[in-house]
Amino acid sequence: MTMTAAAMPALVPCWSCKGPVATRALFCSVCGAVQGPGALDHFTRLGLRPTFDLDMDELERQYFGFQRRLHPDRFASKSPRERALSQGQATALNEAYETLKDPLKRAVALLEMQGRKVDLTACGTINDKDLLMEQMEKREAIADADSVEAITRLSAAADSDVLSCQCHISAAFNGSDLEEAVHLTIRLKYLVKLADEARAKKVRMMRAVR
Amino acid sequence: MSDDGLVMLQLHEPGETPAPHDSERGAAVGIDLGTTNSVVALSFEGSVEVLRSADGRGLIPSVVHYRDDGGVEVGAKAREAILETPDHVVSSIKRLMGRGIEDVKALAGTLPYAVEPNPDGGMVRLRVAGRVLTPVEISADILRAIKARAEEALLGKMVSRAVVTVPAYFDDAARTATKDAARLAGLEVLRLVNEPTAAALAYGLDNAVEGLYAVYDLGGGTFDISVLKMEKGVFQVKATGGDAVLGGDDIDHAIAEHFLADRKAAVGEHPISAGEVKQALMTARVAKECLTGRTEGEWMIEVDGRPSRHSLTREQLEFLAAPFVERTIAICREVVEDAGIDVADIRGVVLVGGSTRMPLVRARVADFFGRPPLADINPDEVVAVGAALQAEALTAGSDTLLLDVTPLSLGIETMGGIVEKVIPRNTPIPVAMAQEFTTYQDGQSAMSIHVVQGEREMVDQNRSLARFVLRGIPPMTAGAARIRVSFQVDADGLLTVAATEMTTGIEQQVAVKPSYGLNDDEMADMLRDSLVHARDDMQQRLLTESVVEARRSLLAVQSALGVDGDLLSADERQAIDAAIEQVKAACAGSDRDAVTASVESLETATKSFAEKRMDRGIRQALAGMSVDRLDGALGGGE
Ligand SMILES: Nc1ncnc2c1ncn2[C@@H]1O[C@H](COP(=O)(O)OP(=O)(O)O)[C@@H](O)[C@H]1O
Ligand SMILES: [Mg+2]
Ligand SMILES: [Zn+2]
């Protein structure tokens, strides 16, 4: 008999009672043992539909709900093996939560699930000429700002650039325009960096004034 | 989640688990190991009692008196001894936990401690009454006294496990030192919990609060500010910040300096001894505390055996204290801004720590947060109360959950002494993150890895946690090797670092726990010296762990028999039953090897049973039967 991979039930032996459990199961339904975190995408791990337009309250609710059951503190009196597995689960939940909470990382995760890789850590050159020019101008303006009022204005503008770019990313995902989503995500990366720089300078200047 | 999944789960909720010898393992208490004062509390079914001395005092001054006859005294008595034999008494030792000599602050050029030179660097060593002691040992003496106090209050019941609180802002070295101190004192640390989180727990449960709250904790030695979200039993730290060496002690210091300057102007300068420094600091503290209730007063200090009188008004005190209080407010502002939180969204501010009694502090906090702070729980005891609740949650189970964060960024030194951050601050824990580095010389066969903690860009401005070398990198051109350095922080906030060379497929790996200057041998020696039963203790713990593991296996097999027992012939069943009996018998004994061996034979006896169960599972799934049961507790969040 042959089966397609999709129809194959994803079953593995429970490490504890050795009976079958679904690869995605958190606990074995027979012996109750916590299972390892396995390889899940961040949305599935938190029981969420993959979308850029995530409801932050729902994200938090799901995250709390899973942590309530999987956090190492729930396993303090259990065997070392179960404690280690729960730490793995909680670590994976934290990674998923941190990723999905941040619009930039969320966009990257969504793109990756659809086979598009965007490297956030690469500090390579900007290919996009317009983006490059825009960046240089704005960076200069931030560097030149010499009053709290000026930097506050620039910081607010940078924050609103970030927000509007997020709206465009949302539209790109909803229109299934992955090319555009990749392009905008790279743009968002630089806008976020600018906004962080502006905020840091604002904090520094406000502190100096005090 | 399916109903039957829920039932199975409840069978194994914490507390109902096979935790053996639980009554023999003793009570689990909460300990606030403070710079100035310590408190111990016990929670039973959610109601907390602070364990008091015979005369009703909850606070145990964190002061140790090393007597000439070899005896050790802790608490109020030890504090009184400062006046008689100041060089035999140690206080505020928490400030030196996991720290080096460069962190010790002098008064008028004189340290309040006699420091023993340590050629290896690392943690300071103090000379006290002819002994040389590390802060870990001194803290262990305090913890022993706390343990004794608790056992006395509990009418002789043994106390062997504790949740110990640490400032949220404590770095890895200080956390490790705290855990080691507890171990030396014969206490198993169930969990290190951050003080503000513990306070929030005590506060939140008492008042059923929801939403964003700030916890402002100003004690004797440390300042902490945390913003937490409290929601249906979950306490999630959104951001935390502070200063591990800022507190009431600094104000005492400023007052003492003021008195000394005043004195110099009046009667000229005289050499001051370490003992007189301690006494001056104590007098300054008395003055400060008096001025919380009064507006002026007069105090006496002694230098070179000659006394002098000095007056101080509250106004003068506030002038001296203002820089420190302003610094706490500046840190509050940074933390709130850093977390992207609007101050107006914070629904309340909880005050913790003795220094929050100062009118100036209350006024400035109220001013910054735009609302009067909440102080209806005793600020001295609230941390211990939270710790006790968490100790009960960990041993008997509960619905509350603490979700903490890393207080400081963790990183690695790169070329030019610049820090590359691997885990940023305020990341929820437990967390694991990795970063790849490469070699910068052709044929480089080893790479030195320096782990640091802190926010500054340059290595030497941060705290150094560990250094180690990854060797055996195969010869390659510069930049070709791929060294993956992974950081793991557990729920206690403790770090483990591992480095692996990735290109060869042959993994060269080293893993380290950061150290603060005491190596494993020294720790082992101390354990031997301080605790005759350390070895037995260790054996007992290993046995307990094996038994926990064995009972888990036993329950697992029994559950499996309940579901799929029909797969077995009578003979097979009999063999398994016999193996089960063997495990039960071994668990009742005290031979660890026998326990392990019995579990192994149980595994062998159930091998073919396990195969049959997997077969049945796959057959059922292929037959299109619902795999819901197999999905177990897959279900969503709430
Ligand atoms: N009434 C008071 N007025 C001002 N400061 C006080 C008062 N009571 C205690 N303190 C100060 O509080 C500090 C101790 O607070 P505590 O929370 O016990 O400290 P820690 O957490 O560092 O052990 C000391 O600096 C002490 O002087
Ligand atoms: Mg305290
Ligand atoms: Zn199982």
Side-chain angles (χ1 to χ4, degrees), chain B residues 302-591:
Chain B
E302 215 175 88
V303 175
D304 202 22
R306 280 166 285 194
S308 55
R309 305 184 71 81
H310 305 274
S311 71
L312 191 71
T313 64
R314 185 186 288 166
E315 209 175 321
Q316 282 173 308
L317 165 68
E318 295 189 342
F319 179 78
L320 292 171
F324 304 107
V325 179
E326 285 319 309
R327 174 139 174 72
T328 69
I329 298 296
I331 295 172
C332 288
R333 187 174 288 121
E334 275 165 40
V335 165
V336 166
E337 263 164 23
D338 196 44
I341 292 166
D342 191 346
V343 178
D345 291 340
I346 296 179
R347 312 243 306 249
V349 192
V350 178
L351 292 184
V352 182
S355 298
T356 61
R357 291 216 166 84
M358 292 180 68
L360 175 66
V361 171
R362 294 203 170 188
R364 291 297 291 124
V365 171
D367 185 40
F368 176 74
F369 287 98
R371 53 171 52 73
L374 307 161
D376 46 322
I377 301 188
N378 184 343
D380 296 320
E381 294 179 353
V382 63
V383 170
V385 168
L389 286 166
Q390 184 63 3
E392 189 180 31
L394 292 174
T395 50
S398 106
D399 284 336
T400 61
L401 185 62
L402 306 183
L403 299 172
D404 252 309
V405 298
T406 52
L408 299 158
S409 301
L410 290 158
I412 287 200
E413 172 171 2
T414 60
M415 289 285 282
I418 293 173
V419 179
E420 171 85 25
K421 283 184 186 164
V422 179
I423 300 182
R425 69 164 179 270
N426 288 330
T427 303
I429 53 175
V431 60
M433 285 188 194
Q435 201 131 309
E436 279 190 10
F437 296 86
T438 189
T439 47
Y440 56 89
Q441 269 172 15
D442 289 343
Q444 188 178 341
S445 69
M447 186 175 209
S448 146
I449 290 160
H450 183 199
V451 183
V452 296
Q453 187 164 28
E455 307 313 315
R456 309 292 292 274
E457 212 166 294
M458 301 305 293
V459 163
D460 51 10
Q461 295 166 332
N462 293 297
R463 178 158 295 268
S464 165
L465 291 181
R467 282 175 199 275
F468 63 99
V469 179
L470 180 73
R471 294 178 202 285
I473 301 173
M476 274 181 267
T477 51
R482 285 168 51 222
I483 317 284
R484 191 180 166 81
V485 180
S486 52
F487 281 41
Q488 194 171 349
V489 179
D490 68 13
D492 282 332
L494 294 175
L495 171 70
T496 313
V497 188
T500 310
E501 201 290 307
M502 310 283 291
T503 34
T504 50
I506 318 161
E507 297 204 343
Q508 281 292 333
Q509 196 170 2
V510 259
V512 287
K513 288 229 173 257
S515 81
Y516 48 88
L518 277 187
N519 61 36
D520 279 353
D521 285 348
E522 286 173 303
M523 185 71 204
D525 278 348
M526 283 185 192
L527 269 173
R528 234 185 328 274
D529 290 348
S530 71
L531 207 72
V532 188
H533 300 300
R535 244 194 116 70
D536 293 352
D537 244 37
M538 191 63 177
Q539 291 301 333
Q540 182 61 43
R541 194 158 304 160
L542 288 173
L543 174 66
T544 306
E545 300 239 297
S546 306
V547 172
V548 171
E549 192 64 55
R551 298 212 177 154
R552 202 247 337 119
S553 295
L554 204 61
L555 274 180
V557 170
Q558 285 167 336
S559 312
L561 287 172
V563 178
D564 291 324
D566 59 306
L567 289 168
L568 294 169
S569 71
D571 279 357
E572 287 169 322
R573 177 66 192 240
Q574 209 175 18
I576 292 177
D577 284 344
I580 287 177
E581 288 311 313
Q582 216 188 329
V583 175
K584 282 186 185 162
C587 286
S590 57
D591 179 352

Side-chain angles (χ1 to χ4, degrees), chain A:
Chain A
M1 180 165 58
T2 56
M3 297 275 308
T4 62
M8 255 319 260
L11 294 182
V12 288
C14 163
W15 64 271
S16 169
C17 75
K18 313 290 191 300
V21 283
T23 43
R24 295 169 44 185
L26 303 177
F27 294 91
C28 170
S29 65
V30 172
C31 74
V34 65
Q35 306 293 308
L40 297 179
D41 70 79
H42 297 316
F43 291 95
T44 309
R45 186 172 307 284
L46 290 173
L48 294 163
R49 196 171 51 85
T51 168
F52 184 74
D53 309 321
L54 211 53
D55 174 357
M56 287 298 119
D57 286 339
E58 194 189 356
L59 170 66
E60 210 142 84
R61 238 182 353 260
Q62 289 292 102
Y63 167 67
F64 285 173
F66 279 100
Q67 282 288 24
R68 245 185 240 281
R69 292 160 55 199
L70 294 167
H71 193 275
D73 282 0
R74 288 283 181 271
F75 297 82
S77 56
K78 298 241 179 168
S79 67
R81 179 86 188 262
E82 283 168 291
R83 291 203 304 265
L85 288 169
S86 92
Q87 174 160 325
Q89 286 279 13
T91 301
L93 288 173
N94 280 334
E95 190 189 342
Y97 173 68
E98 286 288 285
T99 305
L100 299 188
K101 202 173 69 171
D102 175 8
L104 179 57
K105 291 186 193 155
R106 185 164 72 237
V108 172
L110 264 178
L111 286 169
E112 203 167 306
M113 284 167 69
Q114 298 172 71
R116 302 299 179 102
K117 218 165 155 48
V118 180
D119 190 354
L120 279 187
T121 52
C123 34
T125 45
I126 307 178
N127 291 326
D128 182 331
K129 277 239 169 57
D130 296 340
L131 183 57
L132 187 65
M133 286 306 293
E134 186 191 339
Q135 283 293 307
M136 278 168 50
E137 276 166 23
K138 287 184 175 165
R139 180 149 299 149
E140 235 162 75
I142 290 171
D144 290 347
D146 55 2
S147 68
V148 170
E149 292 72 44
I151 190 68
T152 304
R153 201 165 355 93
L154 286 171
S155 173
D159 287 345
S160 93
D161 285 350
V162 165
L163 281 179
S164 99
C165 185
Q166 286 172 20
C167 288
H168 290 120
I169 292 179
S170 162
F173 275 119
N174 290 330
S176 298
D177 187 348
L178 285 190
E179 243 8 272
E180 179 70 358
V182 169
H183 172 79
L184 289 169
T185 300
I186 293 168
R187 181 175 159 75
L188 181 63
K189 173 184 152 182
Y190 289 98
L191 292 177
V192 166
K193 216 164 136 195
L194 270 183
D196 285 349
E197 275 174 28
R199 176 141 32 86
K201 178 158 183 184
K202 183 176 108 183
V203 169
R204 261 199 322 275
M205 289 184 75
M206 283 171 69
R207 206 178 299 157
V209 168
R210 264 173 229 141

Side-chain angles (χ1 to χ4, degrees), chain B residues 135-146:
Chain B
V136 172
E137 292 165 288
I138 296 166
S139 296
D141 282 326
I142 299 172
L143 283 161
R144 268 187 213 105
I146 293 172

Side-chain angles (χ1 to χ4, degrees), chain B residues 19-242:
Chain B
H21 313 307
D22 218 49
S23 52
E24 293 152 48
R25 283 173 81 181
V29 295
I31 297 175
D32 169 8
L33 180 62
T35 312
T36 321
N37 297 298
S38 296
V39 182
V40 54
L42 179 75
S43 169
F44 184 70
E45 293 179 351
S47 91
V48 182
E49 195 189 330
V50 171
L51 303 177
R52 294 172 196 283
S53 63
D55 55 355
R57 276 187 286 195
L59 298 190
I60 306 169
S62 306
V63 181
V64 193
H65 175 203
Y66 292 93
R67 289 200 315 245
D68 278 328
D69 64 7
V72 178
E73 222 166 33
V74 174
K77 277 237 178 69
R79 197 166 63 185
E80 281 160 24
I82 293 180
L83 294 174
E84 299 294 316
T85 52
D87 55 328
H88 284 49
V89 182
V90 185
S91 47
S92 292
I93 194 62
K94 186 174 173 182
R95 287 193 148 200
L96 300 188
M97 287 296 265
R99 310 216 132 227
I101 182 62
E102 65 281 2
D103 305 307
V104 188
K105 192 168 162 186
L107 175 64
T110 308
L111 294 174
Y113 313 93
V115 175
E116 182 75 13
N118 179 1
D120 307 332
M123 196 192 284
V124 293
R125 279 145 211 268
L126 305 184
R127 205 156 357 99
V128 195
R131 302 174 221 200
V132 175
L133 297 166
T134 62
V136 172
E137 292 165 288
I138 296 166
S139 296
D141 282 326
I142 299 172
L143 283 161
R144 268 187 213 105
I146 293 172
K147 182 175 186 284
R149 147 91 61 107
E151 286 171 347
E152 198 179 295
L154 295 172
L155 307 170
K157 187 173 164 53
M158 190 173 80
V159 172
S160 56
R161 295 176 296 166
V163 164
V164 180
T165 60
V166 290
Y169 221 57
F170 248 21
D171 62 25
D172 187 87
R175 282 170 200 266
T176 308
T178 304
K179 222 174 170 176
D180 286 348
R183 228 170 79 200
L184 275 178
L187 285 167
E188 178 190 342
V189 178
L190 290 165
R191 182 90 135 67
L192 294 176
V193 171
N194 291 333
E195 285 159 14
T197 314
L201 178 60
Y203 202 84
L205 291 187
D206 260 26
N207 298 268
V209 292
E210 300 248 308
L212 278 184
Y213 280 77
V215 179
Y216 176 105
D217 179 352
L218 188 61
T222 55
F223 170 65
D224 259 322
I225 172 77
S226 292
V227 179
L228 291 100
K229 179 167 181 175
M230 308 194 202
E231 193 178 287
K232 296 195 195 81
V234 177
F235 297 79
Q236 182 198 26
V237 179
K238 290 285 187 191
T240 188

